[in-house]
Amino acid sequence: MQLMNLFQPLLAAAQDTSEASLDAIGPTQGLNNIDLTVVAIYLMAMLCMGFYIALRQKSTDDFFLGGRNLPSWAVGISLFASMLSTISYLSMPGEMFRSNTGYMLRFISIPFVVTIVCLVWIPFFTRMKFTSAYEYLEKRFSYPVRAMGAFLCIMMLLGWMSVVVLTASTALAEIAQLDISWFFGKNGTIHNGHAYPDADMHFIILAVGFLSIIYTTMGGMKAVVWTDVIQFFVLMAGAVFTIAFISWKTGTGPMDWFAATKTYPHRETVEWYSTDLQNRSTAMFLLIGAFFWSICAYGSNQVAVQRYFSVKNKREAQKSFMISAGVDLCLGFFLCCVGFALVYFVQHHDLPGKEALFSNVFSETQSVRHPAQGAVFPTFIRVYLPTGLRGLVVAALFAASMSSIDSGANSISTIFTIDAFRRLRGGKIDAKAELRVARMLTASMGFVIVSLTLVLYHLSHGTNIIDLMAKGFNWILGPLGALFVLGLFFPFVSSKAAFISVIIGEFVGLSTSYYSEISNWLSTNYPANPFFDDQQYFSTHLVIGTSWLTTIVFGILFSFLFGKPSEEKSRWTWKNITSGKIEDLENNSDSQTL
């Protein structure tokens, strides 16, 4: 009741907004002048924050790591936000239409992930005092292995960010309905019978890109962290208000919503266990996928690892990760509740695209992953959220897209500065000069990401290139995570063995990621082949684990062929590093403050 009283003014405004919009419900409802003003104020505040923080920076340690003294609670929220894309926030409620409570099973893996990250990854990384995660790979193996690890991460981040920014911009264009006529491009461009809002998309992609470039180039990691914090609370407010509004408008609560999910024809039934590797919808495979993604991402992805280095010590880093896990559970719970509420809401109220949610004319695959399911929450935001709050949530969605760019650009700039510029140049470098180089690299990476996103947008007209690219992230991540495991826990694995095993692991990851496309091509073009007589599938949840295990196994096998590494290389294990047997670790790092 107190929650309802708290939201009463906004709920009343929402009632007026929804009644007015329902008279002409459809694609014309979007942002009005008040919403646009809120968006402009929000984004200007982010820019001012970046300029303010820039005035206090004196070195790359400040720029890349926030001086290594950022508060753990803020870093924890930022760690979560950096891994949460706008499209995840918008599409998670749609999962309730697809699999009901089955999607929530992924949260079961969180305690296991927290245990491994806090007890294995964080003690190692915080002890080493690095700036780039890949500095370790040269200590343990060689510079070619370090360069390979850095290259794989850069390729993964560039592909991931361009897809995330594009999909988020598409959702924002649908919500905002800007209908810009003065920007370059033309809305309503027809490709293969589908109209594309080219002008709106160009404007949103460039606005998101260039604004994030400006404040990230100026403010560095500290700007990234604090904008992530603000963005999280605004996105949380949007989810909470949606729940409160639906409860108030319909006079129902969670128990009614859960009951309604039983009457909705969910297209995807999650089984607990299956030995069929083509079956995506099993609890076992879902947990395996979530677990391996997490331990690889939080142990080898520069975006995540860089946050461990931005706090004072191991204890603060562990605290930040536990906060990140708690935030993940909290927002995930609210977004799932939003999904349940929307399942109930659309069965009793009009919503654009509603008919597609209950249509049986689609094939089995289309019904399970139909875009209408993922579009429910964005459409609800556009039609039902009241003026002002809708603008604030859209501003936060802009900021979430910007977070994808600023986190990635900052991390890639870190890799180039530490793993290439500082490593290959050698010698002492003036701190201010290196800071200028870091900012130039960050700006350059931002421009690259924006350019890739624009190219990807036009390539996506009439093709499924976005779906194909999204599969590429998994096959890179597994072997990259396995590379660190080989170095830390298998002292007999040499540089050559590690290098070749990662290549084999990437090949297996690539093959399993695109298994259905490969099998379809072979069965179509070579019907007499002995392997595939029709299109087959490989569960996407098993790709990372399979490529990770392949890399580990071949790394061990090749160690017998290539022999053991030198004593100097083999001593860089997790046990020796965390127990203090390797002394003067800070002087062994390339990341000393100049």
Side-chain angles (χ1 to χ4, degrees):
M1 183 63 65
Q2 291 179 347
L3 180 64
M4 292 299 103
N5 291 336
L6 179 65
F7 282 103
Q8 191 68 35
L10 284 174
L11 293 171
Q15 176 71 14
D16 295 338
T17 301
S18 61
E19 289 177 352
S21 61
L22 284 175
D23 292 336
I25 195 166
T28 58
Q29 179 69 20
L31 300 184
N32 57 29
N33 291 334
I34 296 177
D35 293 321
L36 293 173
T37 301
V38 171
V39 172
I41 293 174
Y42 187 100
L43 297 179
M44 286 300 299
M46 297 301 100
L47 291 178
C48 291
M49 181 186 298
F51 282 111
Y52 174 76
I53 293 173
L55 298 176
R56 300 187 174 190
Q57 290 175 347
K58 297 180 180 179
S59 68
T60 51
D61 208 43
D62 293 329
F63 185 77
F64 290 135
L65 303 175
R68 296 185 189 267
N69 62 356
L70 293 174
S72 58
W73 68 268
V75 172
I77 293 176
S78 177
L79 177 59
F80 166 74
S82 65
M83 296 296 182
L84 174 77
S85 66
T86 305
I87 201 63
S88 298
Y89 175 84
L90 293 174
S91 64
M92 193 179 297
E95 290 290 343
M96 301 305 104
F97 288 85
R98 297 183 180 119
S99 58
N100 198 1
T101 57
Y103 181 78
M104 299 176 71
L105 291 172
R106 75 179 188 90
F107 295 126
I108 298 176
S109 67
I110 289 180
F112 302 99
V113 172
V114 170
T115 301
I116 291 178
V117 172
C118 288
L119 298 183
V120 177
W121 289 131
I122 288 178
F124 156 64
F125 281 116
T126 53
R127 174 70 176 153
M128 293 299 293
K129 295 292 183 182
F130 288 144
T131 299
S132 166
Y134 313 104
E135 295 177 64
Y136 166 74
L137 297 178
E138 182 174 8
K139 306 296 182 185
R140 173 60 181 84
F141 296 115
S142 61
Y143 184 71
V145 174
R146 173 181 178 177
M148 177 179 65
F151 174 77
L152 289 174
C153 183
I154 290 173
M155 293 298 101
M156 180 176 66
L157 289 179
L158 287 175
W160 171 70
M161 286 183 293
S162 59
V163 170
V164 165
V165 173
L166 176 56
T167 52
S169 299
T170 302
L172 286 169
E174 174 63 24
I175 295 172
Q177 294 289 317
L178 297 175
D179 195 21
I180 296 174
S181 59
W182 51 266
F183 207 69
F184 75 92
K186 181 181 179 181
N187 289 326
T189 305
I190 304 298
H191 292 276
N192 295 329
H194 182 76
Y196 291 87
D198 287 352
D200 285 6
M201 287 295 293
H202 293 159
F203 177 80
I204 291 173
I205 291 171
L206 290 174
V208 167
F210 290 135
L211 286 172
S212 61
I213 289 171
I214 292 172
Y215 78 74
T216 306
T217 301
M218 299 302 297
M221 175 58 75
K222 188 173 289 188
V224 171
V225 167
W226 288 114
T227 52
D228 284 347
V229 170
I230 297 171
Q231 159 211 321
F232 165 76
F233 284 110
V234 175
L235 292 178
M236 177 69 82
V240 172
F241 180 85
T242 298
I243 295 171
F245 172 75
I246 292 178
S247 177
W248 177 73
K249 184 173 179 61
T250 62
T252 58
M255 298 307 298
D256 302 296
W257 305 339
F258 296 153
T261 63
K262 297 178 181 179
T263 63
Y264 179 78
H266 296 284
R267 308 313 207 265
E268 191 174 47
T269 302
V270 178
E271 304 173 12
W272 280 103
Y273 175 82
S274 174
T275 57
D276 183 6
L277 298 183
Q278 299 189 62
N279 189 347
R280 173 187 179 273
S281 304
T282 68
M284 181 180 69
F285 292 168
L286 183 66
L287 291 175
I288 289 174
F291 176 78
F292 274 100
W293 180 89
S294 297
I295 63 170
C296 290
Y298 292 120
S300 63
N301 188 336
Q302 178 66 21
V303 171
V305 173
Q306 196 165 334
R307 272 126 179 107
Y308 309 152
F309 303 142
S310 64
V311 294
K312 294 179 181 179
N313 50 44
K314 178 183 75 174
R315 183 179 178 83
E316 292 297 303
Q318 290 170 330
K319 188 188 301 183
S320 71
F321 190 81
M322 288 188 284
I323 290 172
S324 175
V327 167
D328 187 4
L329 282 171
C330 184
L331 184 58
F333 171 78
F334 277 106
L335 288 176
C336 287
C337 285
V338 168
F340 292 135
L342 289 172
V343 170
Y344 179 90
F345 188 83
V346 298
Q347 295 184 57
H348 301 86
H349 295 79
D350 291 328
L351 200 72
K354 173 181 176 178
E355 63 280 357
L357 295 171
F358 299 92
S359 174
N360 293 317
V361 301
F362 305 110
S363 68
E364 182 179 354
T365 302
Q366 289 175 322
S367 295
V368 171
R369 314 304 295 175
H370 193 268
Q373 297 160 333
V376 176
F377 190 29
T379 305
F380 179 88
I381 292 173
R382 173 167 61 87
V383 175
Y384 283 100
L385 284 192
T387 297
L389 181 63
R390 180 172 57 231
L392 188 60
V393 172
V394 169
L397 295 176
F398 265 103
S401 301
M402 292 161 65
S403 177
S404 299
I405 295 179
D406 61 39
S407 296
N410 187 272
S411 295
I412 294 175
S413 174
T414 303
I415 294 172
F416 273 118
T417 302
I418 304 301
D419 295 300
F421 178 78
R422 185 183 293 183
R423 168 61 175 78
L424 298 177
R425 176 170 176 171
K428 291 288 184 178
I429 309 169
D430 178 70
K432 291 185 178 180
E434 190 176 51
L435 180 58
R436 286 194 297 270
V437 171
R439 284 177 170 161
M440 289 175 59
L441 285 171
T442 301
S444 299
M445 289 305 102
F447 281 110
V448 169
I449 295 165
V450 170
S451 300
L452 285 175
T453 304
L454 288 171
V455 170
L456 183 60
Y457 168 66
H458 285 282
L459 289 176
S460 68
H461 290 359
T463 71
N464 65 339
I465 189 172
I466 298 178
D467 294 333
L468 293 176
M469 284 192 64
K471 293 183 177 183
F473 313 142
N474 291 338
W475 65 265
I476 294 178
L477 185 59
L480 186 60
L483 182 58
F484 281 85
V485 173
L486 286 173
L488 289 171
F489 298 103
F490 298 92
F492 52 84
V493 175
S494 66
S495 174
K496 287 183 179 179
F499 194 96
I500 297 175
S501 67
V502 169
I503 294 176
I504 295 175
E506 296 291 0
F507 176 77
V508 171
L510 179 65
S511 302
T512 52
S513 291
Y514 298 100
Y515 190 80
S516 62
E517 286 79 11
I518 294 173
S519 65
N520 182 53
W521 184 83
L522 287 174
S523 62
T524 302
N525 295 279
Y526 300 95
N529 79 84
F531 302 106
F532 305 104
D533 55 0
D534 59 3
Q535 186 174 14
Q536 299 180 19
Y537 300 89
F538 186 85
S539 175
T540 55
H541 298 306
L542 298 179
V543 171
I544 296 178
T546 301
S547 58
W548 181 91
L549 184 60
T550 300
T551 305
I552 297 293
V553 170
F554 276 95
I556 295 172
L557 292 177
F558 281 126
S559 67
F560 296 105
L561 177 62
F562 295 111
K564 296 182 179 180
S566 65
E567 184 177 345
E568 166 61 25
K569 295 294 183 182
S570 62
R571 74 189 185 104
W572 291 89
T573 62
W574 184 89
K575 182 179 180 180
N576 288 342
I577 292 169
T578 57
S579 65
K581 291 184 178 180
I582 300 180
E583 300 178 354
D584 201 20
L585 285 174
E586 291 192 23
N587 289 334
N588 274 297
S589 171
D590 294 337
S591 305
Q592 305 169 57
T593 302
L594 298 176

